Amino acid sequence: MTLTIVGSQLGDEGKGALVDRWGGDADVVVRYQGGDNAGHTVVEGGAEYKLSLVPSGAVRGTVGILGNGCVVNPKTLFTEIDDLRERGLDPDVRVARRAHVIMPYHRVLDGIEEEVKADDDAGDAVGTTGRGIGPTYEDKAGRRGVRIADLLDPDTLREKLEYAVPQKRALVEDVYGLELDDDDRAAAFDVDALHEEFAAIGERLADEGMTVNSSDYLHRRFEAGDEILFEGAQGTHIDVDHGNYPFVTSSNPTAGGAAVGSGLGVTRVGDGEVVGIVKAYLSRVGEGPLPTELDGDADEEALADEIREKGGEFGTVTGRPRRIGWLDLPMLRHAARVSGFTGVAVNHVDVLAGLDELKVCTGYELDGEELDTVPTTTDRWERCEPVYETLDTWEPFDSSAVAEAGYDALPEAARDYLAFLADEIDTPIYAVGVGPDREETVELTNPFDE
Ligand code: IMP
């Protein structure tokens, strides 16, 4: 069977811990979209692993696939694999030959576009991670991308670079009016230098047998009865189709992306479990609306600071402090509908312990209308007034003891909070995260046991 893990909010819901936990029961863990913009922290036996590209299951020794829907920065990939090897692990990671490569010029262009947008006063900078994600997907759709398979054939690689690079150079020089020659960014636009570097990367990928036809490989594994876990990165509300456009990433973190981005058929993926990962409050890194954001007055800002500190809400990839808000049920309803959740896992329930007050947004008011889900435009979402319900708070508890004793050991108010959430989105709770370690999870249902 398959299990697809999807971020229900804006990324950073703590997907890595669940992927790692349930990944132990999987034979293959697959990433199907995104690239090294993702950040997963996996804590195993007190050791902390920060991964952005290598699938989280690799910490447990499960085969990791980067599917065709991913955009791969091979330098990040090798650095992470080398680091894990130095720490005594032996990750088995394979990359789809159909996946697109993030080239150095994509990262440079990501930075330039963000600077230009930030300067033009229109307020439309996205606050990207600067990893070149958007420009790489643009080239994929524009049919001028470099794919992993191209790195394995130096002649094809040269052809692709000779076609794409002059266009990129013209974009920087003629459209953005920047001079590249005296700039340390020039190497990113030098065909010969790029060819040498990326042909060598292709050699290493080939030497280590790291490339794969992901559709064919996953089909065989599925037919052999293996368990396949799809590890979504980012989250529903930054999905390029279903998120808060244009403040989105350029891929589909929602469950449909798992089939398209891996080549395993949609009936196979749809026949499995789809679990939405929920943070018990909201965090957002980057720009865009956040109706329940705690930034109204000094009290709210102090509360946001408290949650940020307790929850370690600083970007894994960029270190940026995350914006904080109350749990927003219209966002969760949208997420559950788009991906068809069969269950949810709610993380960071420990972080809310000991607060003076606890609110949940149950709906929005917009232009005199009540809404139960997220409007389709950023402008309308920005103008939504949250409708809140205030729930009882709970005292801090011993996370390890609760994780061991099970769900009933959670404080009653925390159980009420979870039951309220599950009821509102009509989806059962499969797991509750009460601390960062994999062991600090209360499991009600293991989707692979279903
Ligand atoms: P990009 O994916 O780097 O193009 O960034 C686009 C938007 O998605 C920005 O608002 C980023 O902050 C956000 N984003 C990208 N990856 C993640 C993630 O893994 N967690 C949370 N936000 C992310």
Side-chain angles (χ1 to χ4, degrees), residues 22 45 83 98 124 128 177 190 226 261 297 299 441:
W22 290 328
D83 283 353
R98 288 189 167 98
D124 51 4
T128 72
D190 177 329
D226 287 332
D297 56 27
D299 286 347
T441 300

Side-chain angles (χ1 to χ4, degrees), residues 149-162 195:
D150 301 328
L151 305 185
L152 307 177
D153 176 352
D155 292 339
T156 305
L157 176 60
R158 181 166 285 279
E159 245 174 61
K160 301 270 169 177
L161 292 172
E162 279 176 355
H195 187 264

Side-chain angles (χ1 to χ4, degrees), residues 10-12 37-39 126-130 133-134 234 238 248-249 285-286 320:
L10 293 146
D12 310 313
N37 49 347
V126 176
T128 72
T129 59
I133 306 295
Q234 290 88 43
I238 51 175
V248 292
T249 191
V285 46
R320 290 181 283 181

